[in-house]
């Protein structure tokens, strides 16, 4: 079975400060990991994904995520937050070696960037 | 804009009724996924189709059904509707299903309200 945990329902950060949105995963094999962002009344937008190789993945809008196999984590980061980054962020996983073909999503983290 | 379209944007209906949600995937994508997003259940995978055939099933109720047509658009049918079916229903598409590197792109969603 595959699962994702986003331990923080809400993250607040001041504009210009670095931000981190946490994600940990559980798979029986090796993971493929994804981050999506959802703005109010919109669908999910793909930000970035980890497949293999470099543990630091760069994505859209200045976001990046670091894959840590030993800690089974894939935290989303940005060096300098913008007010426009305020949104709901979802981490998702697929087990590379498992039979499940679909993504499993975390419960989401609401990011608020304060001006 | 992801290139995935969904109609209608909003749907208000009564308990016991039946509705059909429609999704057109991105050009070139062969696989379609349906998700339900509600406050209490989060983002739940319902069902996946690839090139017209059912590929994977998630937490889809027996009252719900879906199909993918030869032109690759998909419809999700919800019948005997209950108050608890009120949610956002998302469609996503991807090029190759089940390949871990494959990214799913989401449509804007259909908001269903059952009164």
């Amino acid at each position: 079975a595959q699962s994702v945990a986003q331990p923080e329902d809400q993250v607040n950060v001041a504009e210009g400060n670095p931000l981190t949105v946490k994600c940990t995963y559980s798979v029986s094999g090796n993971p493929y990991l994804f981050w999506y962002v959802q703005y109010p009344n919109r669908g999910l937008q793909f930000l970035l994904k980890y497949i293999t190789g470099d543990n630091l993945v760069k994505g859209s809008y200045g976001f990046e995520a670091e894959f840590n196999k030993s800690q089974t984590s894939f935290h989303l980061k940005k060096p300098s937050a913008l007010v426009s980054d305020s949104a709901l962020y979802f981490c998702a996983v697929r087990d590379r070696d498992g039979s499940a073909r679909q993504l499993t999503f975390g419960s989401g983290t609401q990011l608020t960037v304060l001006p | 804009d992801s290139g995935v379209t969904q109609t209608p944007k909003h749907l208000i209906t009564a308990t016991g009724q039946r509705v059909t949600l429609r999704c057109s995937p991105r050009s070139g994508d062969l696989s379609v996924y349906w998700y339900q997003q509600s406050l209490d259940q989060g983002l739940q995978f319902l069902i996946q189709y690839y090139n017209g055939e059912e590929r994977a099933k998630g937490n889809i109720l027996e009252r719900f059904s879906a199909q993918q047509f030869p032109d690759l658009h998909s419809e999700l049918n919800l019948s005997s509707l209950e108050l608890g079916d009120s949610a956002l229903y998302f469609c996503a598409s991807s090029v190759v299903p089940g390949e871990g590197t494959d990214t799913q792109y989401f449509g804007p969603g259909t908001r269903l309200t059952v009164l």
Side-chain angles (χ1 to χ4, degrees):
Chain A
Q2 55 191 37
S3 65
V4 175
Q6 292 182 242
E8 300 159 318
D9 291 337
Q10 174 82 41
V11 169
N12 296 327
V13 64
E15 187 175 28
N17 282 2
L19 70 87
T20 299
V21 182
K22 295 179 181 176
C23 170
T24 59
Y25 66 89
S26 175
V27 295
S28 55
N30 292 298
Y32 294 124
L33 293 154
F34 300 76
W35 274 103
Y36 286 83
V37 60
Q38 184 179 23
Y39 296 98
N41 301 313
R42 303 281 295 277
L44 277 71
Q45 294 180 33
F46 169 71
L47 278 180
L48 52 81
K49 64 183 177 184
Y50 170 80
I51 302 302
T52 187
D54 195 347
N55 290 342
L56 186 63
V57 179
K58 293 190 183 297
S60 307
Y61 314 119
F63 284 94
E64 57 189 28
E66 185 166 13
F67 171 65
N68 187 316
K69 188 171 183 177
S70 63
Q71 297 186 4
T72 61
S73 66
F74 189 57
H75 300 332
L76 182 70
K77 300 182 180 185
K78 188 174 182 182
S80 178
L82 300 173
V83 172
S84 57
D85 292 330
S86 298
L88 186 58
Y89 290 80
F90 290 95
C91 182
V93 68
R94 182 188 292 128
D95 188 342
R96 185 187 309 183
D97 307 310
S99 60
R101 299 177 184 271
Q102 68 271 22
L103 289 175
T104 296
F105 284 84
S107 55
T109 297
Q110 181 66 48
L111 173 68
T112 301
V113 181
L114 305 167
Chain B
D1 184 2
S2 66
V4 179
T5 60
Q6 289 186 249
T7 56
K9 285 191 74 171
H10 301 279
L11 202 47
I12 302 174
T13 188
T15 54
Q17 295 298 304
R18 173 189 169 97
V19 297
T20 297
L21 313 184
R22 183 187 167 104
C23 167
S24 293
R26 296 187 320 156
S27 176
D29 285 0
L30 300 179
S31 193
V32 169
Y33 309 75
W34 285 98
Y35 292 86
Q36 179 193 60
Q37 185 180 35
S38 60
L39 282 175
D40 55 344
Q41 298 280 349
L43 196 61
Q44 298 279 317
F45 167 72
L46 295 178
I47 197 164
Q48 176 197 359
Y49 279 82
Y50 170 63
N51 210 17
E53 295 195 2
E54 183 183 304
R55 183 89 169 197
K57 238 177 182 176
N59 301 320
I60 188 166
L61 300 171
E62 284 192 14
R63 300 183 285 108
F64 296 1
S65 65
Q67 55 184 327
Q68 187 179 28
F69 294 86
D71 66 351
L72 300 177
H73 91 272
S74 177
E75 292 181 357
L76 179 66
N77 300 297
L78 315 176
S79 61
S80 302
L81 284 168
E82 302 175 359
L83 296 177
D85 297 327
S86 296
L88 259 175
Y89 291 85
F90 287 109
C91 169
S93 73
S94 69
V95 175
V96 181
E99 301 292 334
T101 58
D102 204 31
T103 298
Q104 293 180 30
Y105 292 91
F106 283 73
T110 292
R111 182 172 293 281
L112 174 66
T113 302
V114 182
L115 300 175

